Amino acid sequence: YAAATASWDGGNSFSFSFGSGVAVSDVVRYYIVAQDSAATPNVGCQPSGGAGGFTVNPPAVATPPTTPSSYTIGATLAGGTYSIPGSYATLTAAVADYNTRCAGGAIVFELAAGYSSAGEAFPITIGANPDASATNTLTIRPAAGQTPTISGSLASGALIKLNGADYVIIDGSNSGGTDRSLTITNSATTAPCAIWVASLGNGAGATNNMVMNCNLNTNSATTVTAYGISVSGATIGSAGGDNDNLTVQNNAINSSDIGVYAN
């Protein structure tokens, strides 16, 4: 470890500068030690497990914590349109790549001619990309003139899950209009859901997302409640905060007990 002293930004805000000279896939590990202004300062470490040998002025530990905080340097996924199949074999593979890379612009995953959902691994889970923004959006849509179907059977889950993800657009139009050319069907008979917008909790909701121009289907023979779209927490139907600014527009939702459920 190399020591880095904070600079005070005013109020309760401090800045640290560290981790230079890194390359893609490097992992940077760090911990923070601080002291208060008591005559005999109290010293704390975060994370704290395993840390020992506390000293003051400057605050430090002789033994670092066993499991420090860390982050990984990710490669950039450039903005642009990526065909499936083509750039990726499956939407599962495309989303997995998105989840581990830095969004370098607006990204489009386009379901092209020859697409089949037979190779997908459900749920297809879109995670929280730290570079997602109003300009760095992720769009999933059919290619021009294509009418793809994403179908599978997943009980008590959704085929597509926005797991704290932000600025994701699922647009079923293949023309940039209002046609519904993408069909998502969950054929499970126990609590199936087509799309799940899920909060990670503690204010980390899935925000600024759009689901539009899609056909969303569940099994009409369900024995437990079926949802077209569930906007909720850690389980479908549970309370989940801060899934804010969601647009649900021009979808046909069929054979579901509840079309759109928001808790």
Side-chain angles (χ1 to χ4, degrees), residues 152-167:
S153 178
L154 185 67
S156 302
L159 297 191
I160 297 179
K161 180 180 181 181
L162 278 59
N163 196 31
D166 305 320
Y167 296 99

Side-chain angles (χ1 to χ4, degrees), residues 24 57 60 86 93 134 199 205 211 217:
V24 169
N57 299 319
S199 171
V211 180
N217 305 322

Side-chain angles (χ1 to χ4, degrees), residues 110-124:
E110 202 165 72
L111 305 181
Y115 172 78
S116 168
S117 62
E120 304 290 8
F122 299 113
I124 299 172

Side-chain angles (χ1 to χ4, degrees), residues 109-111 139-150 160 168-184 195 210-216 247 249-252:
F109 291 153
E110 202 165 72
L111 305 181
T139 299
I140 298 171
R141 71 187 185 199
Q146 300 301 307
T147 56
T149 296
I150 299 174
I160 297 179
V168 175
I169 303 166
I170 301 175
D171 184 357
S173 172
N174 64 15
S175 66
T178 57
D179 56 285
R180 301 186 188 107
S181 298
L182 172 62
T183 299
I184 302 172
I195 295 176
M210 300 182 71
V211 180
M212 55 194 296
N213 306 321
C214 294
N215 298 303
L216 305 176
T247 298
Q249 177 177 305
N250 191 41
N251 301 285

Side-chain angles (χ1 to χ4, degrees), residues 7-259:
S7 60
W8 180 47
D9 299 330
N12 293 323
S13 180
F14 295 82
S15 295
F16 293 86
S17 179
F18 62 94
S20 61
V22 294
V24 169
S25 79
D26 282 353
V27 178
V28 178
R29 296 178 175 86
Y30 66 96
Y31 59 92
I32 297 175
V33 186
Q35 69 185 64
D36 64 15
S37 57
T40 301
N42 298 287
V43 189
C45 181
Q46 177 65 34
S48 60
F54 290 84
T55 56
V56 299
N57 299 319
V61 292
T63 303
T66 305
T67 306
S69 299
S70 66
Y71 60 87
T72 301
I73 306 301
T76 297
L77 182 61
T81 299
Y82 297 84
S83 295
I84 305 168
S87 305
Y88 299 94
T90 62
L91 182 58
T92 302
V95 167
D97 199 32
Y98 172 83
N99 287 342
T100 59
R101 297 177 70 176
C102 306
I107 295 165
V108 178
F109 291 153
E110 202 165 72
L111 305 181
Y115 172 78
S116 168
S117 62
E120 304 290 8
F122 299 113
I124 299 172
T125 302
I126 305 171
N129 190 302
D131 293 311
S133 67
T135 54
N136 290 359
T137 55
L138 170 63
T139 299
I140 298 171
R141 71 187 185 199
Q146 300 301 307
T147 56
T149 296
I150 299 174
S151 61
S153 178
L154 185 67
S156 302
L159 297 191
I160 297 179
K161 180 180 181 181
L162 278 59
N163 196 31
D166 305 320
Y167 296 99
V168 175
I169 303 166
I170 301 175
D171 184 357
S173 172
N174 64 15
S175 66
T178 57
D179 56 285
R180 301 186 188 107
S181 298
L182 172 62
T183 299
I184 302 172
T185 301
N186 188 344
S187 60
T189 57
T190 302
C193 181
I195 295 176
W196 179 10
V197 181
S199 171
L200 298 176
N202 297 319
T207 64
N208 299 293
N209 298 302
M210 300 182 71
V211 180
M212 55 194 296
N213 306 321
C214 294
N215 298 303
L216 305 176
N217 305 322
T218 54
N219 195 326
S220 60
T222 53
T223 56
V224 182
T225 304
Y227 304 90
I229 299 173
S230 178
V231 188
S232 52
T235 57
I236 289 179
S238 67
D242 300 308
N243 293 317
D244 299 328
N245 301 323
L246 171 68
T247 298
V248 177
Q249 177 177 305
N250 191 41
N251 301 285
I253 302 176
N254 305 293
S255 302
S256 297
D257 300 295
I258 299 175

